[in-house]
């Protein structure tokens, strides 16, 4: 319907107070200005200028047109600025993280990225490591933070600090004052990571062949939900220590860590920041640096 040049000409007429003065400022013929405005009015089906003798002024429709058009011009200028900035990140960057990362380093990582790259938009995807690996391979993500064991071939990866897991119970449950055995753990419902994920399978393997009756395992994609279920005595749970003791989730004061026999200790989780260098080397390098720096902050 109209272009940015049309907007510039309308604004020039307004600033100059008439077609002739605008033509002089734009170094155009007055007829060219008049023809351009007339064609624009015809396309829009509006009268942009009220003409009184040789004087012209914006009509009410013209004022509304210019207000809306100014917003478009500002959006254009912002887009150009964001896409042509000299920093290593621009536009929209797609980051995928496992939920453990949401409750540990994500906030600090994003704060640093926003500080260094204020015009970049971050599109976040929270999913299982299996799904994040698939999305990264399918170019649905630029960078992913997932379990090391599930990284696809061809990526560049940087390891984060190991995430310690532990057994937790509600503070309302009696304390045995000794280490729990696998059999004693299996007597309670167990809530933990989603079914089919690597941490869930590790919990299953703890009990495989060690006891006659396997425990009832409940998986949840939301670790904050697991935390609250444990606090409310739905069952005992396997959780990352940094999440279980984080007061930001509102349930840490209602759960306590269970001491267990050595054979019942869950394995720690190893997360890694990965990206495909041929597609996202620059973004990957910058986000990896922010993630590793955030990983050094003791959130507890």
């Amino acid at each position: 319907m109209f272009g940015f040049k049309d907007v510039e000409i309308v604004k020039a007429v307004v600033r100059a107070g008439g077609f002739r003065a605008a033509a002089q400022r734009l170094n155009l013929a007055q007829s060219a200005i008049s023809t351009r405005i007339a064609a624009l009015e015809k396309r829009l089906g509006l009268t942009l200028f009220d003409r009184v003798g040789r004087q012209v002024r914006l009509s009410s429709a013209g004022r509304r047109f210019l207000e809306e058009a100014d917003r478009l011009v500002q959006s254009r200028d912002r887009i150009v600025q964001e896409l042509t900035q000299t920093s290593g990140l621009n536009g929209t960057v797609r980051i995928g993280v496992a939920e453990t990362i949401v409750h540990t380093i994500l906030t600090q990582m994003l704060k640093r990225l926003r500080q260094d790259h204020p015009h970049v938009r971050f599109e976040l995807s929270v999913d299982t490591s299996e799904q994040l690996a698939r999305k990264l391979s399918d170019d649905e993500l630029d960078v992913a933070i997932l379990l090391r064991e599930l990284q696809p071939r061809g990526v560049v990866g940087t390891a984060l600090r190991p995430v310690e897991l532990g057994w937790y119970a509600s503070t309302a449950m009696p304390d045995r004052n000794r280490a729990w055995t696998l059999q004693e753990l299996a007597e309670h419902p167990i809530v933990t990571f989603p079914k089919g994920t690597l941490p869930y399978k590790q919990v299953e393997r703890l009990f495989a062949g060690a006891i006659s009756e396997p425990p009832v395992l409940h998986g949840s994609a939301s670790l904050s939900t697991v935390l609250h279920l444990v606090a409310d005595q739905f069952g005992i749970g396997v959780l990352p220590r940094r999440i279980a003791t984080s007061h930001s989730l509102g349930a840490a004061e209602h759960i306590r860590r269970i001491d267990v026999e050595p054979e019942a200790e869950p394995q720690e989780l190893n997360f890694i920041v990965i990206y495909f260098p041929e597609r996202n080397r620059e973004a990957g390098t910058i986000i990896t640096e922010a993630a590793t720096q955030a990983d050094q902050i003791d959130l507890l």
Side-chain angles (χ1 to χ4, degrees), residues 167 188-192 195 200 203-204 207 214-219:
W167 287 95
H188 298 268
I190 297 171
V191 285
T192 187
K195 183 177 181 180
Y200 184 97
V203 174
E204 282 186 314
F207 297 95
V216 177
L217 293 182
H218 302 279

Side-chain angles (χ1 to χ4, degrees), residues 7 21 181-182 207 260 273:
V7 177
T181 66
L182 282 170
F207 297 95
V260 297
V273 189

Side-chain angles (χ1 to χ4, degrees), residues 133-148:
R134 179 194 61 78
K135 290 179 179 179
L136 190 73
S137 296
D138 292 344
D139 199 22
E140 296 176 21
L141 295 173
D142 300 313
V143 182
I145 307 178
L146 44 70
L147 288 171
R148 181 184 60 195

Side-chain angles (χ1 to χ4, degrees), residues 211-238:
I211 59 174
S212 57
E213 188 70 23
V216 177
L217 293 182
H218 302 279
S220 172
S222 169
L223 293 180
S224 60
T225 298
V226 175
L227 183 68
H228 286 283
L229 288 173
V230 172
D232 292 338
Q233 302 185 68
F234 177 83
I236 60 176
V238 175

